[in-house]
Amino acid sequence: MDLELLKKYAQVFWWGLTTARVDKYKKGDSILVRYDRAAMETAEVLQAMLLEQGMNPILRMSYTPTMERQFYELSSNKQLVFIPPGDEELFQNINGSISLIAPESLTHLAHIDSSKMGKAAVARKPFRDILDKREQDGAFGWTLGIVPTQELAKQAKLSLKAYTEQWIKACLLDHDDPAKEWQKLFNRATSLKAWLNGMDVDYYQVKSANTDLKVDPGEKRRWIGISGHNIPSFELFLSPDWRGTEGVYFANQPSFRSGNYVKDVRLEFSKGKVVKVTAKQGEDFVKKQVAMDKGAGRLGEFSLTDRTFSKIDKFMANTLFDENYGGKFGNCHVAIGASYADTYSGDAKELDADLKKKLGFNDSALHWDLVNTEKKTVTAHLKSGESLVIYKDGEFTGATAK
């Protein structure tokens, strides 16, 4: 790939990393760079950029498809939950993280019992909890992105050239100074989030041809998004009070997860929990994911993407892109599983496990985004008794949305 393009990408990652963290980085801070084998060239460029910024990059290559397949095929139960010495110390001390996703296979785990993957995920959840707490305290920031691969293009049914062109547009790499363009988008989103957060909402109602879902935002919540965490990211979202979720949600966008392809997932919620699951393809896998742990069948995120923000108009076979789909009608997506603590509107340092439970922030080893790109209307039912359409035909309705 063109070196100058990768240098631009590296600068966007630096913008994302510094924007996503509350406290400023200092010379000598440690940044973990996790990368897939196919992203090695990009990782090399990132290493140089981080060194020039005075950081200490720690580079770690992820499992290859063969390594990952062998891990699940050959591991005993004890090996599935084994934690290497030093991992906890690493996560307790790194100041930032950049993840480069460049899959060489999306289907190599399709034959693996999903309960094995669930067991391994649950064992590693404490590390995510460590990073979440450190992020709440302003001591850690993260961002991630993809590098186009032949496998991603194949599964998206695009040529590698067409896939790469979507990636370039979505990451704003077709601009001379893409980091400056991301800052402009960040500023635009800030006023829109202020509009959304200025409402005293009882619940949101999402309606499309196949979705009729009630979402309870909960107390002390705020809309966030376009914060540097994902490259690209055009969504605005909050983590609702899972206990108030009622109705039907339909994901017409396909999804790859842990080697499994699922399509047309329909989730029925009652009293905050998924009570019925159907899917045109991958139904058994979805049911096992929902049963991964106590919180896997509850709502962890509610998100909307304005089509005027996002240039993504193709299925990309990767959640990072697909959850930010713009297209003709934008998208709504929900995540079953873990919630995001940074959608808490109070002092993040006071948000401990007890307060999260009291406020209905969901907890799970799972976080799975399921996307609906149908024409839809989202109505905010205010505590005053009034109703306000906040999103229609792919766009936010507030004056600040433009």
Side-chain angles (χ1 to χ4, degrees):
M1 192 173 291
D2 180 71
L3 180 59
E4 291 307 311
L5 191 67
L6 292 182
K7 287 182 178 179
K8 281 186 180 182
Y9 200 26
Q11 290 304 319
V12 171
F13 276 121
W14 181 245
W15 173 86
L17 199 64
T18 54
T19 302
R21 185 172 134 161
V22 174
D23 294 343
K24 291 184 177 181
Y25 287 94
K26 305 186 299 292
K27 300 287 186 182
D29 277 350
S30 298
I31 310 297
L32 176 65
V33 179
R34 289 182 285 198
Y35 62 96
D36 289 333
R37 179 169 58 184
M40 189 173 295
E41 184 181 11
T42 308
E44 291 171 345
V45 174
L46 274 179
Q47 180 195 31
M49 181 273 293
L50 291 169
L51 288 169
E52 289 169 353
Q53 293 291 345
M55 303 295 109
N56 290 315
I58 303 169
L59 284 85
R60 295 285 186 272
M61 194 178 87
S62 303
Y63 279 170
T64 65
T66 299
M67 291 174 182
E68 193 171 24
R69 175 180 54 77
Q70 290 176 164
F71 173 74
Y72 288 112
E73 284 181 345
L74 303 176
S75 289
S76 65
N77 284 334
K78 285 186 177 181
Q79 289 171 312
L80 283 172
V81 301
F82 170 72
I83 302 300
D87 274 13
E88 183 174 353
E89 181 184 2
L90 175 67
F91 289 116
Q92 289 282 13
N93 287 281
I94 56 172
N95 307 108
S97 171
I98 301 174
S99 297
L100 296 175
I101 303 164
E104 297 173 75
S105 170
L106 293 178
T107 58
H108 60 287
L109 300 181
H111 65 293
I112 300 294
D113 184 350
S114 60
S115 65
K116 281 190 169 185
M117 291 184 274
K119 187 184 292 289
V122 170
R124 287 155 181 78
K125 183 179 178 295
F127 295 141
R128 191 173 72 195
D129 293 340
I130 290 170
L131 295 180
D132 285 349
K133 181 64 171 64
R134 297 190 67 237
E135 184 177 13
Q136 284 177 231
D137 293 340
F140 174 76
W142 61 272
T143 190
L144 60 84
I146 74 163
V147 176
T149 64
Q150 190 63 56
E151 174 69 359
L152 283 169
K154 173 186 172 183
Q155 298 296 350
K157 295 180 172 55
L158 296 172
S159 68
L160 182 57
K161 180 182 178 182
Y163 194 98
T164 302
E165 287 172 353
Q166 281 276 309
W167 170 73
I168 289 171
K169 287 194 305 179
C171 297
L172 308 184
L173 300 179
D174 51 344
H175 293 267
D176 292 336
D177 188 347
K180 183 178 180 180
E181 296 303 315
W182 276 108
Q183 186 61 42
K184 289 179 183 178
L185 196 62
F186 175 88
N187 295 339
R188 179 182 167 195
T190 298
S191 59
L192 182 52
K193 286 180 282 188
W195 172 68
L196 290 168
N197 289 327
M199 303 177 195
D200 193 9
V201 178
D202 184 23
Y203 66 94
Y204 298 101
Q205 195 77 36
V206 186
K207 290 192 176 184
S208 70
N210 294 288
T211 291
D212 189 354
L213 187 70
K214 176 183 176 183
V215 177
D216 178 359
E219 298 298 321
K220 292 196 171 184
R221 298 303 205 277
R222 61 173 182 159
W223 287 82
I224 64 173
I226 312 183
S227 59
H229 277 139
N230 294 335
I231 306 298
S233 177
F234 306 105
E235 60 169 318
L236 300 184
F237 64 93
L238 56 75
S239 282
D241 184 337
W242 67 266
R243 297 166 295 192
T245 313
E246 297 284 345
V248 173
Y249 181 78
F250 179 73
N252 66 308
Q253 179 94 272
S255 176
F256 279 95
R257 184 174 182 84
S258 301
N260 290 264
Y261 177 80
V262 302
K263 184 177 181 181
D264 291 348
V265 176
R266 183 183 184 275
L267 303 175
E268 185 176 332
F269 291 86
S270 179
K271 297 180 180 179
K273 300 178 182 179
V274 173
V275 294
K276 186 176 181 181
V277 175
T278 61
K280 185 175 181 180
Q281 191 168 338
E283 184 174 309
D284 287 344
F285 175 75
V286 180
K287 288 178 177 177
K288 288 179 180 178
Q289 292 292 288
V290 169
M292 179 185 294
D293 58 27
K294 189 176 180 181
R298 302 170 179 171
L299 209 62
E301 178 190 358
F302 170 57
S303 170
L304 296 167
T305 297
D306 189 307
R307 69 184 183 91
T308 66
F309 279 55
S310 174
K311 296 180 180 180
I312 302 169
D313 57 8
K314 300 283 193 302
F315 172 63
M316 297 288 280
N318 177 270
T319 298
L320 174 60
F321 276 68
D322 295 330
E323 70 177 2
N324 287 290
Y325 181 87
K328 188 175 181 180
F329 297 120
N331 88 76
C332 161
H333 78 259
V334 303
I336 47 174
S339 58
Y340 288 115
D342 48 356
T343 67
Y344 175 63
S345 63
D347 182 358
K349 294 180 180 179
E350 70 183 15
L351 189 63
D352 57 17
D354 289 339
L355 185 54
K356 284 183 181 180
K357 185 176 180 180
K358 180 180 178 181
L359 293 173
F361 280 91
N362 194 35
D363 185 47
S364 174
L366 179 71
H367 184 91
W368 187 6
D369 299 293
L370 296 165
V371 183
N372 177 296
T373 65
E374 296 176 319
K375 182 177 181 180
K376 68 180 61 63
T377 299
V378 180
T379 304
H381 294 268
L382 308 181
K383 291 181 179 178
S384 65
E386 298 175 289
S387 297
L388 175 68
V389 174
I390 64 165
Y391 186 92
K392 184 174 176 143
D393 299 343
E395 298 182 27
F396 286 105
T397 60
T400 52
K402 304 304 179 189

